[in-house]
Amino acid sequence: MLEQIMNSSNFDYLGRGLAAATMRHEVISNNIANVNTPNFKRSAVNFENLLAKELHLDNDGRRLDMVRTHDRHLPMALPGKVHAVIEEDGTTTMRVDNNNVDIDIEMAGLAKNQLYYNAMTTELGSFINRMKGVITSGQS
């Protein structure tokens, strides 16, 4: 039973989302710490776009739905689970020292990420409490 809870899609998505938020916080903190470092290029975390592609929510119009019409047909290969990746932004320059960190954008991103993290932890806690309620409701 515990395996079913731990392997549920909600638990999986929320866990990967929390890991992405943690990574994003570290990346934004690194960007802020290097705001005055010459030639420093900011980095960003990409997770939500990758997750949308995994879930086929990206609406790119190039997806072909495939179905198995017979039990003896080979199953479709499922793509692997995506995880957050760090991407460096080397295309822009904000100042003459080739640094591209904008402190206002980074601070806004930090606040947004904090809200995202809090929402994910609240939802994960709620999910665990619901599962706990289901497990304990059968005991007398």
Side-chain angles (χ1 to χ4, degrees):
M1 169 107 105
L2 185 59
E3 253 181 59
Q4 291 174 336
I5 294 170
M6 299 301 282
N7 290 331
S8 73
S9 60
N10 284 348
F11 198 77
D12 178 50
Y13 296 138
L14 290 170
R16 287 190 285 157
L18 282 172
T22 301
M23 182 186 290
R24 184 174 288 120
H25 186 81
E26 292 170 0
V27 167
I28 291 172
S29 297
N30 185 47
N31 290 343
I32 292 171
N34 288 292
V35 69
N36 290 321
T37 304
N39 297 316
F40 179 81
K41 297 299 181 185
R42 70 177 297 277
S43 297
V45 173
N46 184 7
F47 174 69
E48 289 78 10
N49 295 335
L50 298 174
L51 183 62
K53 286 183 182 180
E54 177 186 328
L55 299 175
H56 303 294
L57 300 174
D58 54 349
N59 296 326
D60 62 358
R62 295 180 298 207
R63 187 170 157 250
L64 177 63
D65 291 326
M66 300 183 76
V67 290
R68 289 177 61 189
T69 57
H70 193 275
D71 289 339
R72 292 186 177 215
H73 289 170
L74 292 174
M76 295 170 281
L78 295 174
K81 295 180 180 180
V82 299
H83 295 280
V85 294
I86 299 173
E87 298 173 345
E88 185 178 284
D89 178 14
T91 60
T92 60
T93 300
M94 295 295 291
R95 302 187 313 239
V96 294
D97 65 354
N98 290 326
N99 186 313
N100 66 349
V101 177
D102 183 345
I103 192 68
D104 293 330
I105 291 174
E106 298 300 326
M107 294 304 288
L110 190 62
K112 179 181 174 183
N113 189 58
Q114 185 64 43
L115 291 172
Y116 177 80
Y117 184 86
N118 288 344
M120 297 293 274
T121 55
T122 300
E123 186 60 32
L124 186 59
S126 174
F127 174 75
I128 291 172
N129 282 335
R130 286 192 308 269
M131 292 299 113
K132 180 182 172 187
V134 168
I135 291 169
T136 58
S137 67
Q139 299 175 357
S140 297

